[in-house]
Amino acid sequence: MTLTTDLTGSRAAAGDLLAATTGMDAVTLRVGDLALMSSYYREALALDPISAQGTTVVLGRGATPLVVLEHTPGLPVPARSQAGLFHTAILFDTSAGLAATVLQAARDQRSSFVGSADHIVSNAFYFTDPEGNGIELYVDRDRSEWVYKNGQVQMDTLALDPSAFLQKNLPADGGEAAVGPAKVGHVHLQVGDLEMARHFYVDALGFETTLDFPGALFVSAGGYHHHMAMNVWNSRGVGPRAATLGLADVAITVPGRADLDAVAERLRHRAIPLHDDGTSIRVDDPWKTRVTLTVGEASA
């Protein structure tokens, strides 16, 4: 069997890795106030309505879905220490598109601005939506600028002046900037244990470890800095999630049915229950966070 060296320097079978063109799809959120949350994502983040069926609304940029809102009133708000969503990260094609959206989000009184950071591989701005779901808006630096040390991509949280970034990337004449294309770049979760997360997301699903960081694990397919991250900063030692508002599903796209078959084989080998309907696999991680892998248009 052909072997490949992953970014941590360990050896892994090529057939045990997700395809390089694996990507992230729309994140599904359970929401208590569908009208409020729909208007927030439309107006604060400039997302377009894609579809609305019954109690479910899909929003995105153009035809690219970014968030699915499911109206589930009566559920409690998740505790800060509970496993689940840390943030959904929306990736922009350009710094100008990011700046335009950051300005729009900051002007919306329903947004809670959390902060900004230079992560070496990217520039990012953080918000919280009206029901407490974390949002990252970011743009990548060119891959040629990414730094590797001991086989791992280097990321950090360095100062990023929001005013300076906006001034640099918004029109100098004060005109309205185009928000531009965007997609879900990565999803960051809260979990109870990083080694359990590694066994599920790396060993079973097939991501590669890109960075071991204090209290966090970053993983990807195809050499991206990360498609998913898991941390224990607020949630160390917690067990399975209760039914709450917030994260309902993390969606991943793979290029073909053979890729789903390989994931299914790894899951069954580890006695992890899954549901396979022929075009997608649904599986719960150790904290009952639902992950859906679907054959579809994928991107690195």
Side-chain angles (χ1 to χ4, degrees):
M1 179 179 293
T2 302
L3 295 178
T4 128
T5 303
D6 72 16
L7 291 177
T8 65
S10 62
R11 303 288 281 180
D16 290 338
L17 300 177
L18 288 167
T21 52
T22 296
M24 305 305 293
D25 208 344
V27 168
T28 301
L29 301 175
R30 298 188 187 98
V31 302
D33 188 330
L34 184 60
L36 169 66
M37 293 290 277
S38 296
S39 68
Y40 174 77
Y41 280 91
R42 287 196 315 270
E43 297 164 13
L45 300 187
L47 300 192
D48 306 311
I50 293 177
S51 67
Q53 295 183 343
T55 58
T56 301
V57 173
V58 181
L59 302 108
R61 285 284 174 88
T64 302
L66 299 178
V67 62
V68 179
L69 304 177
E70 293 183 345
H71 191 214
T72 52
L75 291 178
V77 174
R80 188 167 184 265
S81 61
Q82 180 176 310
L85 185 66
F86 192 66
H87 59 241
T88 299
I90 299 175
L91 173 62
F92 292 80
D93 282 3
T94 65
S95 292
L98 170 61
T101 306
V102 168
L103 180 62
Q104 189 158 332
R107 286 174 169 172
D108 194 300
Q109 295 184 352
R110 297 168 296 181
S111 292
S112 295
F113 177 62
V114 179
S116 57
D118 176 347
H119 291 306
I120 303 177
V121 296
S122 63
N123 286 320
F125 296 82
Y126 297 91
F127 293 86
T128 303
D129 74 18
E131 292 194 356
N133 299 292
I135 301 165
E136 176 182 342
L137 308 176
Y138 78 109
V139 65
D140 280 333
R141 283 196 169 90
D142 188 87
R143 289 197 184 200
S144 64
E145 299 180 45
W146 299 0
V147 177
Y148 293 85
K149 183 177 180 181
N150 298 325
Q152 298 201 349
V153 65
Q154 296 302 287
M155 291 186 277
D156 206 336
T157 300
L158 308 176
L160 175 63
D161 184 334
S163 297
F165 182 88
L166 295 181
Q167 184 176 14
K168 178 181 178 180
N169 292 290
L170 291 174
D173 61 6
E176 185 174 339
V179 293
K183 64 181 181 180
V184 176
H186 65 267
V187 177
H188 195 145
L189 302 177
Q190 295 194 160
V191 300
D193 182 87
L194 292 182
E195 286 310 305
M196 288 178 64
R198 193 189 309 272
H199 291 321
F200 180 82
Y201 287 99
V202 175
D203 299 340
L205 291 192
F207 283 113
E208 296 178 271
T209 299
T210 55
L211 179 63
D212 287 292
F213 193 80
L217 170 68
F218 296 82
V219 304
S220 83
Y224 189 53
H225 54 72
H226 68 295
H227 285 111
M228 295 196 69
M230 289 67 65
N231 77 65
V232 295
W233 297 325
N234 302 314
S235 55
R236 188 181 301 274
V238 299
R241 302 171 58 200
T244 65
L245 296 176
L247 183 63
D249 183 89
V250 175
I252 300 168
T253 59
V254 296
R257 178 64 229 189
D259 301 281
L260 286 185
D261 289 339
V263 174
E265 181 180 356
R266 290 193 294 271
L267 292 169
R268 293 188 179 108
H269 178 72
R270 292 164 175 80
I272 299 174
L274 66 123
H275 176 77
D276 184 346
D277 66 8
T279 59
S280 65
I281 288 174
R282 295 197 303 274
V283 59
D284 290 346
D285 80 1
W287 299 274
K288 302 301 181 185
T289 293
R290 174 62 52 86
V291 178
T292 300
L293 297 97
T294 304
V295 174
E297 184 178 353
S299 58

